Amino acid sequence: MLRDELPLISVIVPFFNEEDGLVRLHERLNAVLLALPVRSEILYVDDGSTDDGRRIVEQLRSQDPRIALLCLSRNFGKEIAMTAGLDHAAGDAVVIIDADLQDPPELIPQLLEKWREGYDVVYATRMEREGETWLKKASASAFYRVIHHAANFDIPRDTGDFRLLSRRAVDALKRLPEQHRFMKGLFAWIGFRQIGVPYHREPRHAGATKWNYWKLWNFALEGITSFTTAPLRLASYLGGVIALLAFAYGLWIVIDTLVHGNQVPGYPSLMAVVLFLGGIQLIFIGILGEYLGRMFDESKRRPLYLVADYHPSSQSLSDKA
Ligand code: UDP
Ligand code: MG
């Protein structure tokens, strides 16, 4: 194997309908990468875009052999697109960055510096959030708090997917086969030496976010259910408390009937108890269902994604030779 002295850095850019930002992103990425004493490849992962993004990357690629293009067969979502990128990246270190220029490429040298110091996961930590609504900030903060308490390890707060991974961290991630990929959790789960680098997150450069609150809610659910079974335990505790209360109430009714005789049919209290318990039961059947559904998905053992086209960069070709 013939390798240059310089390390190879792979930059993974998952994109879904980002045609307006890609060229600008590429310019900024290139300006940063070419100034560094590294070899680099930029791996664009087309997550089933329906716009012109793919053609734009193909055009960029015809001028620059350091570009690789991986096209998934349909839209699989960002988590899977990142996974596909990690599977195809050849670098000694891998950087994951959003296509909408919310993650400044100019931070990459700092990430690299930490990697050179021996860190395996160098994540970028947002200092403040601009151009995001109050509700989004509040819900994000609540989510981090829940996951922090529920999971048995720490997921760093205020981090996105913008980060650098060492080769061994990437190889570790590739060994995690789960279908439900909550990447932020997986990044933290692998361990190794991790460190944060603060940065200023910009508003979107072009286009619109594909996240709505419904998607975010499901994302949060994914994060919680793939890393902790605490909600299942919650069901037993809550059930226990309610059963205890119901027992006390029943006792009171018996005593009341013994002392005062049976005066009332008791329809309202009966209805209240039945409805309340019915609701509680439905909630926890739902929680059980969440976990069962995940087991169902895992047991199918489907591939995580399908590749429609792969055009590697010249770097990864020469590395494999
Ligand atoms: N993305 C993707 N597949 C999707 C949705 C989004 O690859 O199904 C990409 C998107 O193009 C962008 C990144 O993931 O590069 C982050 O998406 P977005 O900006 O919508 O999320 P936010 O910044 O609001 O978290
Ligand atoms: Mg964004």
Side-chain angles (χ1 to χ4, degrees):
M1 192 163 72
L2 206 134
R3 284 193 105 163
D4 301 353
E5 298 280 305
L6 295 175
L8 174 64
I9 308 299
S10 302
V11 179
I12 299 176
V13 186
F15 69 94
F16 175 57
N17 293 349
E18 300 278 3
E19 60 182 359
D20 297 330
L22 282 175
V23 172
R24 181 87 194 92
L25 168 78
H26 190 70
E27 282 167 8
R28 273 177 67 182
L29 259 180
N30 246 352
V32 171
L33 290 174
L34 293 177
L36 286 167
V38 296
R39 293 176 303 133
S40 55
E41 64 166 0
I42 305 175
L43 172 53
Y44 288 96
V45 183
D46 177 7
D47 186 16
S49 297
T50 50
D51 64 1
D52 238 6
R54 173 180 177 160
R55 208 187 42 79
I56 292 171
V57 175
E58 272 169 357
Q59 204 163 10
L60 289 171
R61 188 170 179 275
S62 66
Q63 294 151 19
D64 186 347
R66 292 161 43 256
I67 297 180
L69 173 62
L70 179 69
C71 301
L72 303 186
S73 62
R74 63 170 171 85
N75 178 244
F76 280 91
K78 186 189 179 190
E79 309 283 302
I80 300 285
M82 281 192 284
T83 305
L86 288 172
D87 287 345
H88 289 80
D92 302 305
V94 175
V95 174
I96 301 174
I97 193 167
D98 278 4
D100 58 6
L101 281 171
Q102 280 191 288
D103 307 332
E106 290 73 24
L107 195 72
I108 292 177
Q110 269 168 274
L111 302 181
L112 270 177
E113 206 169 298
K114 291 289 175 201
W115 174 63
R116 289 222 163 88
E117 285 171 24
Y119 288 97
D120 289 280
V121 180
V122 188
Y123 50 85
T125 309
R126 293 189 278 265
M127 282 186 298
E128 71 255 39
R129 291 170 164 235
E130 240 178 59
E132 287 183 344
T133 61
W134 172 87
L135 185 60
K136 188 162 176 186
K137 281 184 216 177
S139 51
S141 155
F143 168 73
Y144 282 119
R145 231 171 302 134
V146 169
I147 201 99
H148 175 85
H149 288 293
N152 296 328
F153 56 91
D154 267 347
I155 294 177
R157 285 186 67 146
D158 291 329
T159 60
D161 297 310
F162 184 26
R163 61 187 65 219
L164 175 144
L165 302 159
S166 70
R167 178 40 53 188
R168 69 171 176 172
V170 173
D171 288 340
L173 281 170
K174 280 159 86 169
R175 291 176 54 197
L176 306 182
E178 49 251 75
Q179 300 276 339
H180 288 271
R181 302 188 78 77
F182 177 64
M183 293 302 278
K184 254 184 257 195
L186 298 183
F187 289 142
W189 183 89
I190 58 169
F192 296 122
R193 292 184 70 197
Q194 309 211 353
I195 194 170
V197 172
Y199 79 113
H200 172 84
R201 187 160 167 95
E202 288 157 51
R204 244 176 179 280
H205 177 69
T209 178
K210 278 105 207 162
W211 292 99
N212 51 38
Y213 283 108
W214 177 241
K215 274 195 183 174
L216 278 174
W217 162 251
N218 280 307
F219 186 66
L221 213 64
E222 188 84 50
I224 291 164
T225 50
S226 40
F227 280 97
T228 170
T229 49
L232 291 176
R233 219 173 315 136
L234 188 70
S236 3
Y237 286 133
L238 210 68
V241 168
I242 287 166
L244 212 70
L245 288 178
F247 181 73
Y249 184 58
L251 210 66
W252 183 77
I253 288 179
V254 170
I255 294 171
D256 191 48
T257 313
L258 287 179
V259 175
H260 298 110
N262 190 4
Q263 304 161 316
V264 235
Y267 177 73
S269 58
L270 196 71
M271 232 16 219
V273 170
V274 167
L275 288 178
F276 179 63
L277 284 184
I280 294 286
Q281 279 173 351
L282 279 181
I283 290 174
F284 286 103
I285 289 175
I287 294 180
L288 283 175
E290 281 292 327
Y291 284 99
L292 203 66
R294 273 162 181 69
M295 282 174 64
F296 174 65
D297 280 345
E298 298 295 342
S299 67
K300 283 186 288 197
R301 300 196 154 270
R302 285 202 187 135
L304 291 172
Y305 56 88
L306 293 174
V307 174
D309 283 302
Y310 179 42
H311 309 285
S313 71
S314 56
Q315 300 287 13
S316 69
L317 285 179
S318 66
D319 267 25
K320 280 189 184 116

